[in-house]
Amino acid sequence: MLNHIYIDPKWVAEEYMRSCKAKAWKTQSTDESLKCFNLERILEAEALGMPKPKEVTMEEYVAGSAEM
């Protein structure tokens, strides 16, 4: 199991902009993405025997300021 996956932030930003311009990204997608992000963090912590992480808020998630 991979603990960390490194993704090029520039590629992520470009992909996000492409999706927005194509009107492929909706508000509901952001909400679902946050739920999945929090769940993945919980499952990873459980698998590694670590304490449950604090749930990330939408503001932290969008700003990218969540402790990961």
Side-chain angles (χ1 to χ4, degrees):
M1 173 186 252
L2 296 173
N3 287 335
H4 302 294
I5 298 175
Y6 298 94
I7 299 174
D8 179 13
K10 182 179 178 191
W11 176 84
V12 172
E14 289 171 356
E15 186 61 21
Y16 179 76
M17 293 304 294
R18 184 195 65 75
S19 297
C20 289
K21 287 178 184 174
K23 301 207 186 295
W25 192 264
K26 307 210 180 333
T27 302
Q28 298 86 353
S29 299
T30 303
D31 296 337
E32 287 300 312
S33 177
L34 176 59
K35 289 178 191 175
C36 290
F37 179 74
N38 278 316
L39 178 60
E40 288 172 0
R41 293 178 67 225
I42 291 168
L43 294 175
E44 181 180 38
E46 287 178 357
L48 297 173
M50 299 170 62
K52 181 180 173 184
K54 172 186 155 285
E55 189 170 306
V56 176
T57 66
M58 182 60 74
E59 291 77 21
E60 292 169 328
Y61 185 61
V62 172
S65 61
E67 291 182 26
M68 294 176 226

